[in-house]
Amino acid sequence: MGSVIIVAPAVLAAGYLLGRLRPWHWLGNWASDQIRCAGPWAHGGLGRQAAVVLAHVVTAPRTSWRIMRAPATETRAPTPVRDLDWVANRTHHDKGGTA
């Protein structure tokens, strides 16, 4: 009986603090931001990628499922075509003109 008197307020205080700090929400926002900006998390190594994907799947399962079902898109910019006669093909604007 004595331990219930000590444990109950500690559990209530921990629940209150978790509700105020919202670590679940922070984790979800962090994972979403990392996935949305593909630069640093993609170069962070396999461990970091696994942690980000796992955090996103756990905190936002519906969004993760929608992302996994979507077809892959080509994100590379098209390769520029080299114009061998670029001097002759310049426009007035390319030469520094304003009109």
mmCIF file with all atom_site columns, all heavy atoms in Angstrom, residues 48-77:
data_model
loop_
_atom_site.group_PDB
_atom_site.id
_atom_site.type_symbol
_atom_site.label_atom_id
_atom_site.label_alt_id
_atom_site.label_comp_id
_atom_site.label_asym_id
_atom_site.label_entity_id
_atom_site.label_seq_id
_atom_site.pdbx_PDB_ins_code
_atom_site.Cartn_x
_atom_site.Cartn_y
_atom_site.Cartn_z
_atom_site.occupancy
_atom_site.B_iso_or_equiv
_atom_site.pdbx_formal_charge
_atom_site.auth_seq_id
_atom_site.auth_comp_id
_atom_site.auth_asym_id
_atom_site.auth_atom_id
_atom_site.pdbx_PDB_model_num
ATOM 1   N N   . ARG A 1 48 ? 21.901 6.023  -39.802 1.00 0.00 ? 48 ARG A N   1
ATOM 2   C CA  . ARG A 1 48 ? 21.073 7.235  -39.699 1.00 0.00 ? 48 ARG A CA  1
ATOM 3   C C   . ARG A 1 48 ? 19.827 7.101  -40.564 1.00 0.00 ? 48 ARG A C   1
ATOM 4   O O   . ARG A 1 48 ? 18.737 7.477  -40.151 1.00 0.00 ? 48 ARG A O   1
ATOM 5   C CB  . ARG A 1 48 ? 21.876 8.456  -40.113 1.00 0.00 ? 48 ARG A CB  1
ATOM 6   C CG  . ARG A 1 48 ? 21.084 9.742  -40.040 1.00 0.00 ? 48 ARG A CG  1
ATOM 7   C CD  . ARG A 1 48 ? 21.985 10.943 -40.369 1.00 0.00 ? 48 ARG A CD  1
ATOM 8   N NE  . ARG A 1 48 ? 21.213 12.136 -40.606 1.00 0.00 ? 48 ARG A NE  1
ATOM 9   C CZ  . ARG A 1 48 ? 20.796 12.961 -39.667 1.00 0.00 ? 48 ARG A CZ  1
ATOM 10  N NH1 . ARG A 1 48 ? 21.054 12.699 -38.401 1.00 0.00 ? 48 ARG A NH1 1
ATOM 11  N NH2 . ARG A 1 48 ? 20.100 14.035 -39.961 1.00 0.00 ? 48 ARG A NH2 1
ATOM 12  N N   . GLN A 1 49 ? 19.970 6.562  -41.767 1.00 0.00 ? 49 GLN A N   1
ATOM 13  C CA  . GLN A 1 49 ? 18.814 6.371  -42.635 1.00 0.00 ? 49 GLN A CA  1
ATOM 14  C C   . GLN A 1 49 ? 17.806 5.436  -41.989 1.00 0.00 ? 49 GLN A C   1
ATOM 15  O O   . GLN A 1 49 ? 16.604 5.693  -42.014 1.00 0.00 ? 49 GLN A O   1
ATOM 16  C CB  . GLN A 1 49 ? 19.244 5.809  -43.983 1.00 0.00 ? 49 GLN A CB  1
ATOM 17  C CG  . GLN A 1 49 ? 19.997 6.781  -44.833 1.00 0.00 ? 49 GLN A CG  1
ATOM 18  C CD  . GLN A 1 49 ? 20.488 6.143  -46.129 1.00 0.00 ? 49 GLN A CD  1
ATOM 19  O OE1 . GLN A 1 49 ? 20.186 4.999  -46.410 1.00 0.00 ? 49 GLN A OE1 1
ATOM 20  N NE2 . GLN A 1 49 ? 21.251 6.890  -46.891 1.00 0.00 ? 49 GLN A NE2 1
ATOM 21  N N   . ALA A 1 50 ? 18.283 4.350  -41.402 1.00 0.00 ? 50 ALA A N   1
ATOM 22  C CA  . ALA A 1 50 ? 17.390 3.393  -40.748 1.00 0.00 ? 50 ALA A CA  1
ATOM 23  C C   . ALA A 1 50 ? 16.672 4.044  -39.568 1.00 0.00 ? 50 ALA A C   1
ATOM 24  O O   . ALA A 1 50 ? 15.467 3.836  -39.376 1.00 0.00 ? 50 ALA A O   1
ATOM 25  C CB  . ALA A 1 50 ? 18.180 2.174  -40.290 1.00 0.00 ? 50 ALA A CB  1
ATOM 26  N N   . ALA A 1 51 ? 17.379 4.853  -38.782 1.00 0.00 ? 51 ALA A N   1
ATOM 27  C CA  . ALA A 1 51 ? 16.756 5.527  -37.639 1.00 0.00 ? 51 ALA A CA  1
ATOM 28  C C   . ALA A 1 51 ? 15.691 6.518  -38.095 1.00 0.00 ? 51 ALA A C   1
ATOM 29  O O   . ALA A 1 51 ? 14.605 6.579  -37.510 1.00 0.00 ? 51 ALA A O   1
ATOM 30  C CB  . ALA A 1 51 ? 17.825 6.243  -36.811 1.00 0.00 ? 51 ALA A CB  1
ATOM 31  N N   . VAL A 1 52 ? 15.976 7.269  -39.145 1.00 0.00 ? 52 VAL A N   1
ATOM 32  C CA  . VAL A 1 52 ? 15.012 8.252  -39.645 1.00 0.00 ? 52 VAL A CA  1
ATOM 33  C C   . VAL A 1 52 ? 13.776 7.559  -40.199 1.00 0.00 ? 52 VAL A C   1
ATOM 34  O O   . VAL A 1 52 ? 12.641 7.932  -39.893 1.00 0.00 ? 52 VAL A O   1
ATOM 35  C CB  . VAL A 1 52 ? 15.659 9.162  -40.717 1.00 0.00 ? 52 VAL A CB  1
ATOM 36  C CG1 . VAL A 1 52 ? 14.618 9.985  -41.435 1.00 0.00 ? 52 VAL A CG1 1
ATOM 37  C CG2 . VAL A 1 52 ? 16.692 10.063 -40.079 1.00 0.00 ? 52 VAL A CG2 1
ATOM 38  N N   . VAL A 1 53 ? 13.977 6.522  -40.988 1.00 0.00 ? 53 VAL A N   1
ATOM 39  C CA  . VAL A 1 53 ? 12.835 5.817  -41.573 1.00 0.00 ? 53 VAL A CA  1
ATOM 40  C C   . VAL A 1 53 ? 12.020 5.132  -40.484 1.00 0.00 ? 53 VAL A C   1
ATOM 41  O O   . VAL A 1 53 ? 10.784 5.184  -40.497 1.00 0.00 ? 53 VAL A O   1
ATOM 42  C CB  . VAL A 1 53 ? 13.311 4.812  -42.649 1.00 0.00 ? 53 VAL A CB  1
ATOM 43  C CG1 . VAL A 1 53 ? 12.189 3.903  -43.082 1.00 0.00 ? 53 VAL A CG1 1
ATOM 44  C CG2 . VAL A 1 53 ? 13.876 5.572  -43.834 1.00 0.00 ? 53 VAL A CG2 1
ATOM 45  N N   . LEU A 1 54 ? 12.670 4.503  -39.519 1.00 0.00 ? 54 LEU A N   1
ATOM 46  C CA  . LEU A 1 54 ? 11.952 3.852  -38.430 1.00 0.00 ? 54 LEU A CA  1
ATOM 47  C C   . LEU A 1 54 ? 11.158 4.868  -37.610 1.00 0.00 ? 54 LEU A C   1
ATOM 48  O O   . LEU A 1 54 ? 9.993  4.629  -37.276 1.00 0.00 ? 54 LEU A O   1
ATOM 49  C CB  . LEU A 1 54 ? 12.930 3.090  -37.529 1.00 0.00 ? 54 LEU A CB  1
ATOM 50  C CG  . LEU A 1 54 ? 12.298 2.369  -36.348 1.00 0.00 ? 54 LEU A CG  1
ATOM 51  C CD1 . LEU A 1 54 ? 11.371 1.261  -36.848 1.00 0.00 ? 54 LEU A CD1 1
ATOM 52  C CD2 . LEU A 1 54 ? 13.370 1.796  -35.444 1.00 0.00 ? 54 LEU A CD2 1
ATOM 53  N N   . ALA A 1 55 ? 11.756 5.998  -37.302 1.00 0.00 ? 55 ALA A N   1
ATOM 54  C CA  . ALA A 1 55 ? 11.041 7.041  -36.556 1.00 0.00 ? 55 ALA A CA  1
ATOM 55  C C   . ALA A 1 55 ? 9.843  7.549  -37.345 1.00 0.00 ? 55 ALA A C   1
ATOM 56  O O   . ALA A 1 55 ? 8.770  7.776  -36.781 1.00 0.00 ? 55 ALA A O   1
ATOM 57  C CB  . ALA A 1 55 ? 11.988 8.194  -36.225 1.00 0.00 ? 55 ALA A CB  1
ATOM 58  N N   . HIS A 1 56 ? 9.988  7.701  -38.649 1.00 0.00 ? 56 HIS A N   1
ATOM 59  C CA  . HIS A 1 56 ? 8.873  8.187  -39.461 1.00 0.00 ? 56 HIS A CA  1
ATOM 60  C C   . HIS A 1 56 ? 7.765  7.143  -39.541 1.00 0.00 ? 56 HIS A C   1
ATOM 61  O O   . HIS A 1 56 ? 6.582  7.480  -39.450 1.00 0.00 ? 56 HIS A O   1
ATOM 62  C CB  . HIS A 1 56 ? 9.359  8.564  -40.863 1.00 0.00 ? 56 HIS A CB  1
ATOM 63  C CG  . HIS A 1 56 ? 8.376  9.380  -41.613 1.00 0.00 ? 56 HIS A CG  1
ATOM 64  N ND1 . HIS A 1 56 ? 7.418  8.830  -42.418 1.00 0.00 ? 56 HIS A ND1 1
ATOM 65  C CD2 . HIS A 1 56 ? 8.175  10.720 -41.663 1.00 0.00 ? 56 HIS A CD2 1
ATOM 66  C CE1 . HIS A 1 56 ? 6.679  9.770  -42.947 1.00 0.00 ? 56 HIS A CE1 1
ATOM 67  N NE2 . HIS A 1 56 ? 7.124  10.938 -42.500 1.00 0.00 ? 56 HIS A NE2 1
ATOM 68  N N   . VAL A 1 57 ? 8.130  5.875  -39.709 1.00 0.00 ? 57 VAL A N   1
ATOM 69  C CA  . VAL A 1 57 ? 7.115  4.815  -39.786 1.00 0.00 ? 57 VAL A CA  1
ATOM 70  C C   . VAL A 1 57 ? 6.356  4.698  -38.467 1.00 0.00 ? 57 VAL A C   1
ATOM 71  O O   . VAL A 1 57 ? 5.136  4.516  -38.460 1.00 0.00 ? 57 VAL A O   1
ATOM 72  C CB  . VAL A 1 57 ? 7.775  3.464  -40.173 1.00 0.00 ? 57 VAL A CB  1
ATOM 73  C CG1 . VAL A 1 57 ? 6.831  2.296  -39.962 1.00 0.00 ? 57 VAL A CG1 1
ATOM 74  C CG2 . VAL A 1 57 ? 8.240  3.511  -41.608 1.00 0.00 ? 57 VAL A CG2 1
ATOM 75  N N   . VAL A 1 58 ? 7.052  4.832  -37.347 1.00 0.00 ? 58 VAL A N   1
ATOM 76  C CA  . VAL A 1 58 ? 6.410  4.699  -36.040 1.00 0.00 ? 58 VAL A CA  1
ATOM 77  C C   . VAL A 1 58 ? 5.526  5.909  -35.730 1.00 0.00 ? 58 VAL A C   1
ATOM 78  O O   . VAL A 1 58 ? 4.432  5.760  -35.188 1.00 0.00 ? 58 VAL A O   1
ATOM 79  C CB  . VAL A 1 58 ? 7.485  4.503  -34.943 1.00 0.00 ? 58 VAL A CB  1
ATOM 80  C CG1 . VAL A 1 58 ? 6.895  4.641  -33.555 1.00 0.00 ? 58 VAL A CG1 1
ATOM 81  C CG2 . VAL A 1 58 ? 8.139  3.153  -35.107 1.00 0.00 ? 58 VAL A CG2 1
ATOM 82  N N   . THR A 1 59 ? 5.967  7.115  -36.074 1.00 0.00 ? 59 THR A N   1
ATOM 83  C CA  . THR A 1 59 ? 5.214  8.316  -35.701 1.00 0.00 ? 59 THR A CA  1
ATOM 84  C C   . THR A 1 59 ? 4.162  8.718  -36.725 1.00 0.00 ? 59 THR A C   1
ATOM 85  O O   . THR A 1 59 ? 3.202  9.399  -36.366 1.00 0.00 ? 59 THR A O   1
ATOM 86  C CB  . THR A 1 59 ? 6.162  9.512  -35.477 1.00 0.00 ? 59 THR A CB  1
ATOM 87  O OG1 . THR A 1 59 ? 6.912  9.745  -36.668 1.00 0.00 ? 59 THR A OG1 1
ATOM 88  C CG2 . THR A 1 59 ? 7.084  9.254  -34.305 1.00 0.00 ? 59 THR A CG2 1
ATOM 89  N N   . ALA A 1 60 ? 4.320  8.334  -37.974 1.00 0.00 ? 60 ALA A N   1
ATOM 90  C CA  . ALA A 1 60 ? 3.342  8.699  -39.007 1.00 0.00 ? 60 ALA A CA  1
ATOM 91  C C   . ALA A 1 60 ? 3.143  7.519  -39.956 1.00 0.00 ? 60 ALA A C   1
ATOM 92  O O   . ALA A 1 60 ? 3.591  7.542  -41.100 1.00 0.00 ? 60 ALA A O   1
ATOM 93  C CB  . ALA A 1 60 ? 3.819  9.933  -39.772 1.00 0.00 ? 60 ALA A CB  1
ATOM 94  N N   . PRO A 1 61 ? 2.456  6.462  -39.508 1.00 0.00 ? 61 PRO A N   1
ATOM 95  C CA  . PRO A 1 61 ? 2.349  5.258  -40.341 1.00 0.00 ? 61 PRO A CA  1
ATOM 96  C C   . PRO A 1 61 ? 1.575  5.475  -41.640 1.00 0.00 ? 61 PRO A C   1
ATOM 97  O O   . PRO A 1 61 ? 1.945  4.938  -42.678 1.00 0.00 ? 61 PRO A O   1
ATOM 98  C CB  . PRO A 1 61 ? 1.652  4.247  -39.433 1.00 0.00 ? 61 PRO A CB  1
ATOM 99  C CG  . PRO A 1 61 ? 1.064  5.021  -38.324 1.00 0.00 ? 61 PRO A CG  1
ATOM 100 C CD  . PRO A 1 61 ? 1.838  6.283  -38.209 1.00 0.00 ? 61 PRO A CD  1
ATOM 101 N N   . ARG A 1 62 ? 0.514  6.270  -41.608 1.00 0.00 ? 62 ARG A N   1
ATOM 102 C CA  . ARG A 1 62 ? -0.266 6.491  -42.836 1.00 0.00 ? 62 ARG A CA  1
ATOM 103 C C   . ARG A 1 62 ? 0.541  7.252  -43.878 1.00 0.00 ? 62 ARG A C   1
ATOM 104 O O   . ARG A 1 62 ? 0.510  6.933  -45.061 1.00 0.00 ? 62 ARG A O   1
ATOM 105 C CB  . ARG A 1 62 ? -1.554 7.248  -42.522 1.00 0.00 ? 62 ARG A CB  1
ATOM 106 C CG  . ARG A 1 62 ? -2.628 6.340  -41.998 1.00 0.00 ? 62 ARG A CG  1
ATOM 107 C CD  . ARG A 1 62 ? -3.933 7.079  -41.954 1.00 0.00 ? 62 ARG A CD  1
ATOM 108 N NE  . ARG A 1 62 ? -4.325 7.152  -40.554 1.00 0.00 ? 62 ARG A NE  1
ATOM 109 C CZ  . ARG A 1 62 ? -5.194 7.992  -40.073 1.00 0.00 ? 62 ARG A CZ  1
ATOM 110 N NH1 . ARG A 1 62 ? -5.778 8.863  -40.846 1.00 0.00 ? 62 ARG A NH1 1
ATOM 111 N NH2 . ARG A 1 62 ? -5.501 7.972  -38.800 1.00 0.00 ? 62 ARG A NH2 1
ATOM 112 N N   . THR A 1 63 ? 1.241  8.281  -43.450 1.00 0.00 ? 63 THR A N   1
ATOM 113 C CA  . THR A 1 63 ? 2.065  9.051  -44.375 1.00 0.00 ? 63 THR A CA  1
ATOM 114 C C   . THR A 1 63 ? 3.194  8.187  -44.926 1.00 0.00 ? 63 THR A C   1
ATOM 115 O O   . THR A 1 63 ? 3.499  8.247  -46.119 1.00 0.00 ? 63 THR A O   1
ATOM 116 C CB  . THR A 1 63 ? 2.652  10.285 -43.664 1.00 0.00 ? 63 THR A CB  1
ATOM 117 O OG1 . THR A 1 63 ? 1.571  11.031 -43.101 1.00 0.00 ? 63 THR A OG1 1
ATOM 118 C CG2 . THR A 1 63 ? 3.436  11.148 -44.612 1.00 0.00 ? 63 THR A CG2 1
ATOM 119 N N   . SER A 1 64 ? 3.794  7.377  -44.073 1.00 0.00 ? 64 SER A N   1
ATOM 120 C CA  . SER A 1 64 ? 4.868  6.495  -44.527 1.00 0.00 ? 64 SER A CA  1
ATOM 121 C C   . SER A 1 64 ? 4.345  5.507  -45.562 1.00 0.00 ? 64 SER A C   1
ATOM 122 O O   . SER A 1 64 ? 5.010  5.238  -46.564 1.00 0.00 ? 64 SER A O   1
ATOM 123 C CB  . SER A 1 64 ? 5.460  5.729  -43.345 1.00 0.00 ? 64 SER A CB  1
ATOM 124 O OG  . SER A 1 64 ? 6.040  6.620  -42.441 1.00 0.00 ? 64 SER A OG  1
ATOM 125 N N   . TRP A 1 65 ? 3.149  4.954  -45.320 1.00 0.00 ? 65 TRP A N   1
ATOM 126 C CA  . TRP A 1 65 ? 2.571  4.007  -46.269 1.00 0.00 ? 65 TRP A CA  1
ATOM 127 C C   . TRP A 1 65 ? 2.299  4.690  -47.605 1.00 0.00 ? 65 TRP A C   1
ATOM 128 O O   . TRP A 1 65 ? 2.555  4.142  -48.669 1.00 0.00 ? 65 TRP A O   1
ATOM 129 C CB  . TRP A 1 65 ? 1.300  3.409  -45.689 1.00 0.00 ? 65 TRP A CB  1
ATOM 130 C CG  . TRP A 1 65 ? 0.651  2.432  -46.590 1.00 0.00 ? 65 TRP A CG  1
ATOM 131 C CD1 . TRP A 1 65 ? -0.509 2.610  -47.277 1.00 0.00 ? 65 TRP A CD1 1
ATOM 132 C CD2 . TRP A 1 65 ? 1.117  1.134  -46.942 1.00 0.00 ? 65 TRP A CD2 1
ATOM 133 N NE1 . TRP A 1 65 ? -0.797 1.508  -48.019 1.00 0.00 ? 65 TRP A NE1 1
ATOM 134 C CE2 . TRP A 1 65 ? 0.188  0.580  -47.829 1.00 0.00 ? 65 TRP A CE2 1
ATOM 135 C CE3 . TRP A 1 65 ? 2.238  0.388  -46.595 1.00 0.00 ? 65 TRP A CE3 1
ATOM 136 C CZ2 . TRP A 1 65 ? 0.354  -0.689 -48.377 1.00 0.00 ? 65 TRP A CZ2 1
ATOM 137 C CZ3 . TRP A 1 65 ? 2.380  -0.869 -47.130 1.00 0.00 ? 65 TRP A CZ3 1
ATOM 138 C CH2 . TRP A 1 65 ? 1.452  -1.388 -48.017 1.00 0.00 ? 65 TRP A CH2 1
ATOM 139 N N   . ARG A 1 66 ? 1.796  5.927  -47.563 1.00 0.00 ? 66 ARG A N   1
ATOM 140 C CA  . ARG A 1 66 ? 1.520  6.669  -48.802 1.00 0.00 ? 66 ARG A CA  1
ATOM 141 C C   . ARG A 1 66 ? 2.817  6.950  -49.559 1.00 0.00 ? 66 ARG A C   1
ATOM 142 O O   . ARG A 1 66 ? 2.878  6.841  -50.785 1.00 0.00 ? 66 ARG A O   1
ATOM 143 C CB  . ARG A 1 66 ? 0.805  7.983  -48.476 1.00 0.00 ? 66 ARG A CB  1
ATOM 144 C CG  . ARG A 1 66 ? 0.424  8.796  -49.702 1.00 0.00 ? 66 ARG A CG  1
ATOM 145 C CD  . ARG A 1 66 ? -0.339 10.055 -49.335 1.00 0.00 ? 66 ARG A CD  1
ATOM 146 N NE  . ARG A 1 66 ? 0.228  10.816 -48.244 1.00 0.00 ? 66 ARG A NE  1
ATOM 147 C CZ  . ARG A 1 66 ? 1.229  11.678 -48.378 1.00 0.00 ? 66 ARG A CZ  1
ATOM 148 N NH1 . ARG A 1 66 ? 1.797  11.867 -49.542 1.00 0.00 ? 66 ARG A NH1 1
ATOM 149 N NH2 . ARG A 1 66 ? 1.677  12.348 -47.330 1.00 0.00 ? 66 ARG A NH2 1
ATOM 150 N N   . ILE A 1 67 ? 3.886  7.292  -48.840 1.00 0.00 ? 67 ILE A N   1
ATOM 151 C CA  . ILE A 1 67 ? 5.173  7.559  -49.481 1.00 0.00 ? 67 ILE A CA  1
ATOM 152 C C   . ILE A 1 67 ? 5.717  6.280  -50.121 1.00 0.00 ? 67 ILE A C   1
ATOM 153 O O   . ILE A 1 67 ? 6.230  6.300  -51.238 1.00 0.00 ? 67 ILE A O   1
ATOM 154 C CB  . ILE A 1 67 ? 6.180  8.122  -48.453 1.00 0.00 ? 67 ILE A CB  1
ATOM 155 C CG1 . ILE A 1 67 ? 5.783  9.537  -48.057 1.00 0.00 ? 67 ILE A CG1 1
ATOM 156 C CG2 . ILE A 1 67 ? 7.594  8.112  -49.011 1.00 0.00 ? 67 ILE A CG2 1
ATOM 157 C CD1 . ILE A 1 67 ? 6.578  10.087 -46.893 1.00 0.00 ? 67 ILE A CD1 1
ATOM 158 N N   . MET A 1 68 ? 5.584  5.150  -49.427 1.00 0.00 ? 68 MET A N   1
ATOM 159 C CA  . MET A 1 68 ? 6.116  3.897  -49.965 1.00 0.00 ? 68 MET A CA  1
ATOM 160 C C   . MET A 1 68 ? 5.320  3.420  -51.184 1.00 0.00 ? 68 MET A C   1
ATOM 161 O O   . MET A 1 68 ? 5.883  2.777  -52.061 1.00 0.00 ? 68 MET A O   1
ATOM 162 C CB  . MET A 1 68 ? 6.113  2.822  -48.888 1.00 0.00 ? 68 MET A CB  1
ATOM 163 C CG  . MET A 1 68 ? 7.199  3.024  -47.855 1.00 0.00 ? 68 MET A CG  1
ATOM 164 S SD  . MET A 1 68 ? 7.332  1.668  -46.701 1.00 0.00 ? 68 MET A SD  1
ATOM 165 C CE  . MET A 1 68 ? 6.048  2.060  -45.540 1.00 0.00 ? 68 MET A CE  1
ATOM 166 N N   . ARG A 1 69 ? 4.034  3.733  -51.246 1.00 0.00 ? 69 ARG A N   1
ATOM 167 C CA  . ARG A 1 69 ? 3.215  3.312  -52.385 1.00 0.00 ? 69 ARG A CA  1
ATOM 168 C C   . ARG A 1 69 ? 3.415  4.195  -53.603 1.00 0.00 ? 69 ARG A C   1
ATOM 169 O O   . ARG A 1 69 ? 3.124  3.788  -54.718 1.00 0.00 ? 69 ARG A O   1
ATOM 170 C CB  . ARG A 1 69 ? 1.732  3.347  -52.014 1.00 0.00 ? 69 ARG A CB  1
ATOM 171 C CG  . ARG A 1 69 ? 1.318  2.222  -51.136 1.00 0.00 ? 69 ARG A CG  1
ATOM 172 C CD  . ARG A 1 69 ? -0.164 2.183  -50.974 1.00 0.00 ? 69 ARG A CD  1
ATOM 173 N NE  . ARG A 1 69 ? -0.759 3.496  -51.247 1.00 0.00 ? 69 ARG A NE  1
ATOM 174 C CZ  . ARG A 1 69 ? -1.953 3.875  -50.896 1.00 0.00 ? 69 ARG A CZ  1
ATOM 175 N NH1 . ARG A 1 69 ? -2.711 3.066  -50.247 1.00 0.00 ? 69 ARG A NH1 1
ATOM 176 N NH2 . ARG A 1 69 ? -2.415 5.065  -51.172 1.00 0.00 ? 69 ARG A NH2 1
ATOM 177 N N   . ALA A 1 70 ? 3.864  5.425  -53.410 1.00 0.00 ? 70 ALA A N   1
ATOM 178 C CA  . ALA A 1 70 ? 4.028  6.357  -54.529 1.00 0.00 ? 70 ALA A CA  1
ATOM 179 C C   . ALA A 1 70 ? 5.157  5.881  -55.443 1.00 0.00 ? 70 ALA A C   1
ATOM 180 O O   . ALA A 1 70 ? 6.182  5.378  -54.976 1.00 0.00 ? 70 ALA A O   1
ATOM 181 C CB  . ALA A 1 70 ? 4.345  7.758  -54.012 1.00 0.00 ? 70 ALA A CB  1
ATOM 182 N N   . PRO A 1 71 ? 4.972  6.038  -56.749 1.00 0.00 ? 71 PRO A N   1
ATOM 183 C CA  . PRO A 1 71 ? 6.047  5.631  -57.662 1.00 0.00 ? 71 PRO A CA  1
ATOM 184 C C   . PRO A 1 71 ? 7.252  6.557  -57.527 1.00 0.00 ? 71 PRO A C   1
ATOM 185 O O   . PRO A 1 71 ? 7.115  7.735  -57.202 1.00 0.00 ? 71 PRO A O   1
ATOM 186 C CB  . PRO A 1 71 ? 5.403  5.758  -59.042 1.00 0.00 ? 71 PRO A CB  1
ATOM 187 C CG  . PRO A 1 71 ? 4.278  6.712  -58.863 1.00 0.00 ? 71 PRO A CG  1
ATOM 188 C CD  . PRO A 1 71 ? 3.805  6.552  -57.449 1.00 0.00 ? 71 PRO A CD  1
ATOM 189 N N   . ALA A 1 72 ? 8.409  6.004  -57.783 1.00 0.00 ? 72 ALA A N   1
ATOM 190 C CA  . ALA A 1 72 ? 9.634  6.791  -57.708 1.00 0.00 ? 72 ALA A CA  1
ATOM 191 C C   . ALA A 1 72 ? 9.655  7.815  -58.833 1.00 0.00 ? 72 ALA A C   1
ATOM 192 O O   . ALA A 1 72 ? 9.203  7.552  -59.942 1.00 0.00 ? 72 ALA A O   1
ATOM 193 C CB  . ALA A 1 72 ? 10.857 5.880  -57.807 1.00 0.00 ? 72 ALA A CB  1
ATOM 194 N N   . THR A 1 73 ? 10.174 8.972  -58.532 1.00 0.00 ? 73 THR A N   1
ATOM 195 C CA  . THR A 1 73 ? 10.280 10.025 -59.540 1.00 0.00 ? 73 THR A CA  1
ATOM 196 C C   . THR A 1 73 ? 11.748 10.287 -59.830 1.00 0.00 ? 73 THR A C   1
ATOM 197 O O   . THR A 1 73 ? 12.617 10.083 -58.981 1.00 0.00 ? 73 THR A O   1
ATOM 198 C CB  . THR A 1 73 ? 9.623  11.327 -59.060 1.00 0.00 ? 73 THR A CB  1
ATOM 199 O OG1 . THR A 1 73 ? 10.253 11.727 -57.847 1.00 0.00 ? 73 THR A OG1 1
ATOM 200 C CG2 . THR A 1 73 ? 8.134  11.131 -58.828 1.00 0.00 ? 73 THR A CG2 1
ATOM 201 N N   . GLU A 1 74 ? 12.006 10.759 -61.004 1.00 0.00 ? 74 GLU A N   1
ATOM 202 C CA  . GLU A 1 74 ? 13.371 11.107 -61.393 1.00 0.00 ? 74 GLU A CA  1
ATOM 203 C C   . GLU A 1 74 ? 13.675 12.483 -60.830 1.00 0.00 ? 74 GLU A C   1
ATOM 204 O O   . GLU A 1 74 ? 13.006 13.462 -61.151 1.00 0.00 ? 74 GLU A O   1
ATOM 205 C CB  . GLU A 1 74 ? 13.503 11.105 -62.913 1.00 0.00 ? 74 GLU A CB  1
ATOM 206 C CG  . GLU A 1 74 ? 14.900 11.343 -63.417 1.00 0.00 ? 74 GLU A CG  1
ATOM 207 C CD  . GLU A 1 74 ? 15.855 10.213 -63.057 1.00 0.00 ? 74 GLU A CD  1
ATOM 208 O OE1 . GLU A 1 74 ? 15.430 9.061  -63.026 1.00 0.00 ? 74 GLU A OE1 1
ATOM 209 O OE2 . GLU A 1 74 ? 17.024 10.517 -62.792 1.00 0.00 ? 74 GLU A OE2 1
ATOM 210 N N   . THR A 1 75 ? 14.676 12.590 -59.973 1.00 0.00 ? 75 THR A N   1
ATOM 211 C CA  . THR A 1 75 ? 14.985 13.859 -59.333 1.00 0.00 ? 75 THR A CA  1
ATOM 212 C C   . THR A 1 75 ? 16.198 14.551 -59.948 1.00 0.00 ? 75 THR A C   1
ATOM 213 O O   . THR A 1 75 ? 16.507 15.668 -59.581 1.00 0.00 ? 75 THR A O   1
ATOM 214 C CB  . THR A 1 75 ? 15.255 13.659 -57.833 1.00 0.00 ? 75 THR A CB  1
ATOM 215 O OG1 . THR A 1 75 ? 16.309 12.739 -57.679 1.00 0.00 ? 75 THR A OG1 1
ATOM 216 C CG2 . THR A 1 75 ? 14.004 13.147 -57.131 1.00 0.00 ? 75 THR A CG2 1
ATOM 217 N N   . ARG A 1 76 ? 16.881 13.885 -60.838 1.00 0.00 ? 76 ARG A N   1
ATOM 218 C CA  . ARG A 1 76 ? 18.064 14.499 -61.441 1.00 0.00 ? 76 ARG A CA  1
ATOM 219 C C   . ARG A 1 76 ? 17.662 15.555 -62.462 1.00 0.00 ? 76 ARG A C   1
ATOM 220 O O   . ARG A 1 76 ? 16.683 15.415 -63.176 1.00 0.00 ? 76 ARG A O   1
ATOM 221 C CB  . ARG A 1 76 ? 18.902 13.459 -62.154 1.00 0.00 ? 76 ARG A CB  1
ATOM 222 C CG  . ARG A 1 76 ? 19.561 12.493 -61.242 1.00 0.00 ? 76 ARG A CG  1
ATOM 223 C CD  . ARG A 1 76 ? 20.446 11.592 -62.042 1.00 0.00 ? 76 ARG A CD  1
ATOM 224 N NE  . ARG A 1 76 ? 20.944 10.518 -61.217 1.00 0.00 ? 76 ARG A NE  1
ATOM 225 C CZ  . ARG A 1 76 ? 21.624 9.507  -61.676 1.00 0.00 ? 76 ARG A CZ  1
ATOM 226 N NH1 . ARG A 1 76 ? 21.888 9.414  -62.959 1.00 0.00 ? 76 ARG A NH1 1
ATOM 227 N NH2 . ARG A 1 76 ? 22.046 8.568  -60.863 1.00 0.00 ? 76 ARG A NH2 1
ATOM 228 N N   . ALA A 1 77 ? 18.453 16.586 -62.522 1.00 0.00 ? 77 ALA A N   1
ATOM 229 C CA  . ALA A 1 77 ? 18.252 17.602 -63.548 1.00 0.00 ? 77 ALA A CA  1
ATOM 230 C C   . ALA A 1 77 ? 18.730 17.038 -64.876 1.00 0.00 ? 77 ALA A C   1
ATOM 231 O O   . ALA A 1 77 ? 19.683 16.254 -64.924 1.00 0.00 ? 77 ALA A O   1
ATOM 232 C CB  . ALA A 1 77 ? 19.050 18.862 -63.207 1.00 0.00 ? 77 ALA A CB  1
#
